[in-house]
Amino acid sequence: DSPWYPSAKLFRQHATADWEPVLTSIALELNQRYGTEKPSNLQESNRAISLNDRGNEYVEQGLYKHAIGLFRQALAINPSNSRAHNNLGVALQKIGETNEALTHFDRAISLEPSYVSPNLNKAMLLLSLGDFAEGWRLYEWRWKNAQWENSVRHFKQDLWLGDQAIQGKKLFVYAEQGIGDCIQFSRLTNVLVASGVEVIAEVPEAIFSLMQSINAKVSWQTQGQTQRQIQEGKLPEFDYHCPLLSLPLALRLEMTVLPQQIPYVSVDLSKQALWHQKLVPTRRPKIGVVWSGSRLHLNDKNRSIPFEIYVKLMQVDLDFYVLQKETSKREATTFKLMQSFGKKIHCLQAEFSDFSDTAALINELDLVISVDTSVAHLAGALGKPVWILLPKNSDFRWLIEREDSPWYPTARLFRQTNEGDWGEVVRRVLGALQERFF
């Protein structure tokens, strides 16, 4: 109590920074004074919430089996806890228990149909399993996820998801996620054009010139251009609109019938000739390298490879060309040291103006070795041999336990065997280099 305030009741910590018992005591007091739930039930409910929160912490640390145990304890206390079912599904998926993961996603959805996470988690798991029909349908739940809030577009025209016949109509298609996504799915504009649809496609400026090579019948525009048109009220007329990653749903795309025209992007011949002159004449195989993606990507810590591990690939007696736009001072210093010992490492990326320059350089190479980033998609779209290094729990587009990709026939996938172990992946890539070139 407090002599200053007779109406006050104090709830004190018993240990520094330990608020959980304090809040539990307050909850019990509130329930005793105003509620109907028995104190013992309330204590059990709070314990289930605590177990669920601790389980999420273990998931963040990659301790999935520990997390699974805690989520199961939470569900033993409260089998109707939709959050615990969803979180258990995530942890089970991480260790490859996909069927049980789907069961818990479904249970979470049945308990709380408007709960976004299990719908979206189920979507990405189904897509990784190759179930495109249900996977792409559920993927529309992304628009209710905070991660995509800034990508939502509103137009007076109707959204097209394949339900209306649009032959002879004008469709506005717009990029919504990263450059790699845009490169991967822009090929679907060919399917639309072949179906008699007039396509207006908005893409990032960095790949604008490349995208124009996909189909001359598409009216390609940059995102900056359409933003100015919207502000001036001069956006081209269209009948329907569709986000780029909703096209697979709208077109009822199946994994067995993916567009197989490879390459589907090309480089202007004059630019290609210019880059041909930039390369040092050699008979040695020329390898493009990328070890990290965008630092702004939510999963960058898992997608990018520590430089000190990846650089071991460049000890091999081959010519290496750095394809990523930025390198740190430490990385540049390492390259200079390696060059002084006779290693052939070429850093021409300062001469890139946009992705058409990257594409022209890739066309001059024998192989690209990249983590999961836009350069990997670009090499695949160009039909160049590309080895893609993936974390154990990779993005849904690379499916599960495959060494090839139905999206890119020239791709070979090198997956982590153990989560976080890039050293073992690099050793396998080194063996593959020896086998291919020596």
Side-chain angles (χ1 to χ4, degrees), residues 391-409:
K392 183 174 176 61
N393 291 291
S394 60
D395 193 82
F396 68 82
R397 77 199 67 228
W398 305 118
L399 305 172
I400 290 177
E401 297 178 354
R402 290 182 62 148
E403 294 184 2
D404 65 338
S405 168
W407 293 98
Y408 301 113

Side-chain angles (χ1 to χ4, degrees), residues 32-53:
Q32 190 172 27
R33 182 173 296 200
Y34 303 111
T36 57
E37 189 173 4
K38 293 180 180 179
S40 60
N41 291 341
L42 187 60
Q43 285 178 315
E44 286 292 281
S45 177
N46 286 331
R47 182 166 176 266
I49 293 171
S50 177
L51 288 166
N52 193 47
D53 290 343

Side-chain angles (χ1 to χ4, degrees), residues 86-87 90 105 109 114-124 141 145:
N86 175 67
N87 296 337
V90 170
F105 290 147
I109 292 168
S114 62
Y115 185 14
V116 175
S117 291
N119 283 282
L120 194 52
N121 288 331
K122 181 181 178 182
M124 290 188 282
W141 278 85
N145 183 286

Side-chain angles (χ1 to χ4, degrees), residues 119-142 245 248-249 253-254 396:
N119 283 282
L120 194 52
N121 288 331
K122 181 181 178 182
M124 290 188 282
L125 177 51
L126 289 175
L127 290 173
S128 70
L129 293 170
D131 184 347
F132 278 17
E134 180 69 357
W136 288 120
R137 184 187 70 79
L138 286 174
Y139 194 58
E140 290 301 298
W141 278 85
R142 69 192 184 278
L245 269 72
L249 171 64
L253 197 67
E254 292 289 343
F396 68 82

Side-chain angles (χ1 to χ4, degrees), residues 284-287 313-320 343-345 433 437-438:
R284 296 167 15 140
K286 298 181 286 295
I287 315 297
L313 293 176
M314 288 179 263
Q315 301 287 348
V316 180
D317 193 24
L318 300 168
D319 275 26
F320 292 97
K343 299 300 179 185
K344 303 299 182 183
I345 299 172
L433 283 173
F437 295 113
F438 296 98

Side-chain angles (χ1 to χ4, degrees), residues 40-81:
S40 60
N41 291 341
L42 187 60
Q43 285 178 315
E44 286 292 281
S45 177
N46 286 331
R47 182 166 176 266
I49 293 171
S50 177
L51 288 166
N52 193 47
D53 290 343
R54 283 166 52 205
N56 284 333
E57 291 173 6
Y58 278 136
V59 169
E60 287 295 316
Q61 297 168 31
L63 301 171
Y64 304 123
K65 292 186 178 180
H66 289 76
I68 288 169
L70 293 179
F71 293 140
R72 292 197 193 282
Q73 289 180 51
L75 288 171
I77 296 170
N78 180 9
S80 297
N81 186 333

Side-chain angles (χ1 to χ4, degrees), residues 288-293 295 304-305 307 310 321-328 331 335 348-350 352 358 370-371 373 375:
V289 290
V290 179
W291 58 92
S292 67
R295 290 177 174 82
S304 294
I305 301 178
F307 178 70
Y310 189 96
Y321 286 82
V322 176
L323 296 176
Q324 62 187 52
K325 185 70 174 174
E326 296 179 355
T327 55
S328 68
E331 292 163 351
F335 288 149
L348 303 177
Q349 69 272 35
F352 294 166
T358 313
S370 175
V371 294
T373 187
V375 173

